Amino acid sequence: MPRKNRPFWKLRLELQKTSEWTLDYPPFFAAFEWLLSQAAPFIDPAILHVQNLGYDSWQTVYFQRATVILTELVLVFALTLLVKTTPESLKKQAHAAAVSILLSPGLLIIDHVHFQYNGFLYGLLILSLVLARKPSGLLPSGLLFAALLCLKHIYLYLAPAYFVFLLRAYCLSPRSTFQIRVGNAIKLGLGIGVIFAAAFGPFVYWNQMDQLLSRLFPFSRGLCHAYWAPNVWAMYSWVDRVLIFVAPKIGLAVDRSAVNSVTRGLVGDTSFAVLPEVTAKTTFVLTLIFQVIPLIRLFQKPTWEMFIGAVTLCGYASFLFGWHVHEKAILLVIIPFR
């Protein structure tokens, strides 16, 4: 948690020297933690000592747990709005979906143990999705999603669905895809521009964008995350493990230097002993191909139901084929699907 008397963008650039864990969250999350740090000294001043790695006093644990629960009120509000805006004939299903999300074991385990504030972040995502249900809410929905990207960039996986839906439903005329609603396009573009300028402007001013981007998109971490996602690359890695024993019998070469690569559980490059190496470009192309399928349908029929389906499938394609995917990324699929 940042010290309260330092500008968060300056502090962010210095914290990398104090911990083995890289700073890989966007600037708005640093601002969010700066806000939390204003109250932290009243609970336990040692919380704010940047060099105090591994500090886990009971005051610290309960303070962080309390802030997680408090910020989850955003999730409660978003789910309440979801139920209220649901047609009467579907209220029962909406209630069931809302309760299942609120009591999701995934959110409880991640947030109430690891303190990543995913309940708060997914609350913003759900709120953005619910706002998009009505034409009058399309602009707030898009701007809220832009702010969410500046809090946690994992939601970039869902951005193609937002782009196509807002383009088709808000920026283009419903009568003709060749007729642009200029006023709407300007309002959306300016709003997103202001949000991104507020988030990244200080880093541009301090000439730190290269450093920031290298941490937001750390391709050097390797194909498979230390906490494996059960996706295509997990199966690909498993096949490679099997082939290590089979290859000598069928005349295939084995790269002995890569035998322990994908099983070490550490951050770093992944190498395969028998199968061809997988590059970040390959994962991007595969993800894009499988995202385009629902996006074409969404462009043809830009309804809210189709939008939710496209968001879900874009998240699923990214989970299956993305680079360095964490196991908790499945929440990007589960929550919109519900």
Side-chain angles (χ1 to χ4, degrees), residues 174-224:
R175 294 185 297 273
S176 172
T177 56
F178 298 101
Q179 184 177 346
I180 301 175
R181 291 190 276 190
V182 178
N184 286 359
I186 291 175
K187 285 186 289 185
L188 182 61
L190 282 177
I192 292 174
V194 169
I195 290 170
F196 276 81
F200 299 103
F203 294 92
V204 174
Y205 179 79
W206 290 99
N207 296 317
Q208 291 291 335
M209 278 304 296
D210 289 343
Q211 176 68 226
L212 178 65
L213 292 175
S214 69
R215 292 186 169 274
L216 291 181
F217 305 101
F219 292 108
S220 62
R221 288 185 178 183
L223 174 66
C224 296

Side-chain angles (χ1 to χ4, degrees), residues 283-334:
T283 64
F284 175 78
V285 171
L286 285 172
T287 300
L288 186 61
I289 289 172
F290 284 91
Q291 285 186 339
V292 164
I293 298 170
L295 293 179
I296 292 174
R297 182 61 175 157
L298 176 61
F299 188 84
Q300 294 172 338
K301 188 179 179 182
T303 64
W304 186 76
E305 291 77 12
M306 198 65 67
F307 170 54
I308 299 300
V311 167
T312 302
L313 291 175
C314 281
Y316 198 25
S318 300
F319 181 81
L320 289 176
F321 300 102
W323 178 269
H324 198 72
V325 179
H326 194 289
E327 59 185 355
K328 69 173 180 282
I330 193 61
L331 291 172
L332 287 171
V333 184
I334 294 172

Side-chain angles (χ1 to χ4, degrees), residues 11-174:
L11 180 62
R12 183 182 178 87
L13 300 176
E14 298 174 5
L15 285 176
Q16 60 183 294
K17 301 175 183 178
T18 68
S19 174
E20 62 186 294
W21 306 110
T22 56
L23 294 169
D24 55 359
Y25 276 49
F28 277 6
F29 197 86
F32 167 71
E33 288 221 320
W34 178 83
L35 289 174
L36 295 179
S37 75
Q38 305 308 296
F42 299 102
I43 307 300
D44 184 352
I47 298 176
L48 302 182
H49 295 169
V50 176
Q51 302 285 348
N52 205 2
L53 298 180
Y55 186 70
D56 61 350
S57 69
W58 70 265
Q59 294 97 327
T60 301
V61 173
Y62 280 99
F63 173 73
Q64 290 197 265
R65 187 163 293 160
T67 58
V68 165
I69 294 172
L70 184 63
T71 56
E72 280 180 348
L73 292 176
V74 174
L75 177 61
V76 174
F77 172 75
L79 293 172
T80 301
L81 188 62
L82 169 65
V83 174
K84 285 184 177 180
T85 58
T86 299
E88 199 62 38
S89 60
L90 299 174
K91 287 284 187 184
K92 187 175 181 180
Q93 293 93 320
H95 276 288
V99 171
S100 69
I101 292 173
L102 186 62
L103 301 180
S104 169
L107 286 177
L108 290 174
I109 291 171
I110 293 172
D111 273 0
H112 293 256
V113 176
H114 199 35
F115 308 131
Q116 290 192 336
Y117 300 92
N118 284 285
F120 161 63
L121 296 170
Y122 277 101
L124 293 178
L125 174 64
I126 293 171
L127 183 58
S128 174
L129 294 173
V130 173
L131 288 173
R133 202 167 202 164
K134 297 181 179 180
S136 60
L138 289 175
L139 179 60
S141 171
L143 298 182
L144 182 57
F145 183 72
L148 180 61
L149 291 178
C150 296
L151 279 163
K152 193 167 185 179
H153 59 302
I154 192 174
Y155 297 102
L156 273 172
Y157 291 152
L158 312 180
Y162 269 87
F163 174 78
V164 171
F165 182 64
L166 291 173
L167 174 67
R168 187 67 180 87
Y170 187 72
C171 296
L172 298 180
S173 171

